[in-house]
Amino acid sequence: MGHVVVIGSGIAGLISALRAARVHDVTLVTKAELTAGSTAWAQGGIAAAVFADDSPELHTRDTLAAGAGLSDPEAVRLMAREGAARLHDLVALGVEFDTAASDESDTRGPLGWARGLEAAHSVARVLHAGGDATGRIIEHALATALDEARSSGRMLVREHTTAVAIVRGSDERVCAVDVAPSIPRDGAVVTERLDADAVVIATGGNGQLYRHTTNPPVATGDGVILGYAAGAAVVDLEFVQFHPTVLAGGGLVSEAVRGEGAVLLNAAGRRFLTGAGHDPRGELAPRDVVARAIAAQMREQGGAPVLLDATSLGERTLRERFPTIDRLVRSAGYDWTREPVPVTPAAHYAMGGLLTDMSGRTTVPGLFAVGETGSTGVHGANRLASNSLLEALVVGWRAGDLLAADVAPSPLPTPSLSTTQDKRDDEAGAVEVPTVLSEAPGASDALADGATPVAGEYVRDRAWDALGLLRDGVTMGDLARELADAQPADALAARLVPLARLTAEAALARRESRGAHARTDYPATDPRQRWRRAWARRVVASPELLTHDLHSDHREPALAAAVPTREVKI
Ligand code: FAD
Ligand code: SIN
């Protein structure tokens, strides 16, 4: 029996903690209350091949197509194959997915499950719970299971506790995590060292790098920077997904609303995603396509949001199928049963993160990453809707099981510097995608302090301008040079400055457009760049990284400020 420290309490952290605690003592630390992450905010649902007209092969094909040639086919196949079993495991843990009426026998799945359609899925395969409260219901069931595990004495849960450093021993293995209370006491930062045989990073995404995001305040990319600081390879950081439909003023309006038939209108009230020159799937084209089309339309109409028209769905469907969004929209002062509502794109999901395999192993011995913090290669250059809860569940489960079997498995090999051209011409994504370690000197240490103090909120504005939906080398180069001289001035900046540096380096290095990474100066996809680019720190030091001004006057960004009410600069 060993001691495993899990950092983060979304679906990925909770599942891996529950699985590992069958054998080991587990300490789970989480920087706010247990349910503060993205998981509890998930609306649309969780995708899996469980219906009669679907199969893991079809799910794999859709996922690879969305990934724009960069998804790892083996990883995708594994997720698609194991998905159904994991959904039944969720049911055993207390999740009740919505069911369809018994007269809708052609649409019902196992246990009578109902299903929703989201963009770029060739069949409806998204299970939901509580209408559009899927994440909240999953998080609640897992938190209840965690409570039961706590009573066994094997599980210790510490809320409002921030992981600030991963510590490695002289044998290179991870041996501890430094944590600090998230709520200031007397001003001074007091860290505590938790010894560990293995550490699982499950800190979620990094949407707060951007001024406008769907993500909760805790999504500041901590895990990527903690892992990077400890020497783990990061990968695919240039790929950030922007969700097309965020209510102007803040709050997601799920893609499932478009899946049920809602359409997008320009300021003149006309559909703009149909007809010649547009993806034939219209409003249900892949997210990157729809988000860019919205941005182009907004530019044409002086920055004003476009409109989502859900009036055809009818009051009952809107209220019963989408109760959370119904409340959100009404509280913002709109009656979406009668009028279209203003929406804009915002940063939503990080395809990149700490490089892992499908069991969450990173390149550092004893260090795991699961959920949105990890990057298994499933999502490639663009994630298929509702695949992230599934991937987090599958990988979190496998990581917990691997640890239960062997608390000290070998790490993932660090990718080589080789730049072989092998197998890079299959854009259909059927063959393996090479992962190559980058040699670029600019990112040799993204944690190095410069001379100019920079605040976290400033970085969010700059990232929105330079690393957003549409990018170009000049703007990103300016940002990279500015950040090279930056010194984090507050706790948020201690996370976001290195994250922005790495993202800018990765986005500059990819001189093509692919999936969510769209460059105006390289608008075409280049088959010769069909590889994943990894970065690793050469010097591993400064374990005190995130204690930097932990309790300085950083205020978590407020949800209300997530998206502007009138105009948005894309
Ligand atoms: P999270 O659930 O974000 O949990 C991260 C945890 O880490 C939190 O507990 C946080 O407090 C903690 N943490 C962070 N930093 C630290 C630190 N330094 N120390 C300690 N703890 C820390 N995906 C789908 O598949 N279907 C959907 O319908 C869907 N809808 C979405 C809707 C919204 C509004 C958003 C934002 C995302 C949605 N996604 C959806 C994406 C999906 O919800 C996330 O990718 C997924 O929940 C991530 O799970 P996770 O366990 O990796 O991280
Ligand atoms: C949504 O409901 O539109 C979000 C789904 C996702 O991010 O997968």
Side-chain angles (χ1 to χ4, degrees), residues 53-69 71 73 76-77 79-80 120-122 125 281 384 387 427-430:
D53 59 354
D54 199 3
S55 65
E57 291 70 36
L58 196 52
H59 190 186
T60 298
R61 209 187 312 152
D62 290 349
T63 303
L64 291 175
S71 296
V76 177
R77 273 185 213 111
M79 179 189 76
H121 288 273
S122 56
R125 63 163 70 91
R281 290 165 288 187
L384 188 66
N387 261 356
E427 287 299 321

Side-chain angles (χ1 to χ4, degrees), residues 116-119 254-262 283-284 313 321-322:
L117 177 65
E118 289 183 37
S254 173
E255 201 155 77
V257 177
R258 276 174 283 135
E260 294 283 343
E283 280 85 358
L284 289 177
L313 276 63
R321 170 75 175 85
F322 301 111

Side-chain angles (χ1 to χ4, degrees), residues 7-13 29-34 36-46 118 134 139 161-164 202-205 214-216 218 220 222-223 226 252 348-349 370-373 383 385-390 392 495 546:
I7 309 170
S9 54
I11 185 171
V29 296
T30 190
K31 75 174 172 183
E33 60 279 10
L34 201 75
S38 293
T39 298
W41 289 23
Q43 295 181 348
I46 182 163
E118 289 183 37
T134 315
E139 179 80 21
T161 302
T162 302
V164 294
T203 54
T214 62
N215 286 196
V218 292
T220 48
D222 296 15
L226 287 168
L252 184 70
H348 183 59
Y349 184 84
V370 293
E372 197 169 334
T373 309
R383 175 178 65 95
S386 287
N387 261 356
S388 48
L389 288 176
L390 183 68
R495 292 148 171 81
L546 295 184

Side-chain angles (χ1 to χ4, degrees), residues 17-18 21-22 24-26 142-157:
L18 285 167
R22 291 172 305 138
H24 303 299
D25 285 333
V26 172
L142 298 182
T144 306
L146 195 77
D147 259 350
E148 283 157 19
R150 275 158 107 166
S151 60
S152 75
R154 282 242 172 98
M155 177 86 70
L156 180 67
V157 177

Side-chain angles (χ1 to χ4, degrees), residues 238-239 288 292 469-477 504-529 533:
E238 66 271 38
F239 296 111
D288 58 312
R292 280 195 295 272
L469 262 173
L470 284 181
R471 302 160 172 187
D472 66 80
V474 172
T475 315
M476 290 193 293
E505 288 292 343
L508 277 165
R510 186 168 288 283
R511 294 194 183 89
E512 63 164 345
S513 292
R514 185 186 284 275
H517 174 67
R519 285 187 63 156
T520 52
D521 48 354
Y522 293 98
T525 300
D526 174 3
R528 291 167 308 167
Q529 295 185 51
R533 199 180 263 101

Side-chain angles (χ1 to χ4, degrees), residues 230-465:
V234 299
V235 70
D236 288 349
L237 289 180
E238 66 271 38
F239 296 111
V240 177
Q241 182 170 79
F242 290 78
H243 197 291
T245 54
V246 177
L247 190 67
L252 184 70
V253 181
S254 173
E255 201 155 77
V257 177
R258 276 174 283 135
E260 294 283 343
V263 296
L264 286 159
L265 308 176
N266 62 18
R270 276 193 292 277
R271 284 178 80 178
F272 59 92
L273 280 168
T274 52
H278 288 287
D279 188 298
R281 290 165 288 187
E283 280 85 358
L284 289 177
R287 260 180 209 175
D288 58 312
V289 175
V290 177
R292 280 195 295 272
I294 291 177
Q297 182 58 43
M298 286 173 63
R299 274 195 303 279
E300 245 179 64
Q301 52 193 50
V306 299
L307 302 165
L308 181 72
D309 185 355
T311 53
S312 67
L313 276 63
E315 187 168 352
R316 186 160 167 214
T317 301
L318 291 177
R319 207 182 46 236
E320 291 178 6
R321 170 75 175 85
F322 301 111
T324 313
I325 305 169
D326 190 57
R327 276 194 301 278
L328 169 80
V329 168
R330 287 180 192 283
S331 69
Y334 301 106
D335 179 357
W336 68 331
T337 65
R338 292 167 195 279
E339 57 181 339
V341 295
V343 291
T344 70
H348 183 59
Y349 184 84
M351 271 72 76
L354 294 169
L355 178 68
T356 75
D357 65 4
M358 287 298 282
S359 295
R361 291 184 310 153
T362 71
T363 55
V364 167
L367 185 64
F368 288 69
V370 293
E372 197 169 334
T373 309
S375 186
T376 57
V378 159
H379 306 305
N382 188 28
R383 175 178 65 95
L384 188 66
S386 287
N387 261 356
S388 48
L389 288 176
L390 183 68
E391 191 219 32
L393 174 64
V394 167
V395 179
W397 189 282
R398 291 171 62 88
D401 281 5
L402 177 59
L403 282 168
D406 176 6
V407 80
S410 54
L412 196 64
T414 298
S416 74
L417 290 168
S418 137
T419 54
T420 49
Q421 303 286 311
D422 297 355
K423 298 181 178 173
R424 267 188 284 135
D425 54 355
D426 183 353
E427 287 299 321
V431 295
E432 197 186 329
V433 186
T435 303
V436 172
L437 193 67
S438 177
E439 278 187 289
S444 60
D445 190 358
L447 294 168
D449 269 353
T452 311
V454 162
E457 292 297 338
Y458 174 77
V459 179
R460 300 182 71 211
D461 285 331
R462 295 289 286 119
W464 180 256
D465 286 341

Side-chain angles (χ1 to χ4, degrees), residues 86-126:
R86 293 295 82 82
L87 289 194
H88 286 284
D89 290 326
L90 276 189
V91 171
L93 283 162
V95 175
E96 286 184 30
F97 290 110
D98 294 335
T99 52
S102 53
D103 57 347
E104 295 175 48
S105 53
D106 58 325
T107 62
R108 297 175 87 213
L111 307 177
W113 287 334
R115 54 173 167 175
L117 177 65
E118 289 183 37
H121 288 273
S122 56
V123 296
R125 63 163 70 91
V126 180

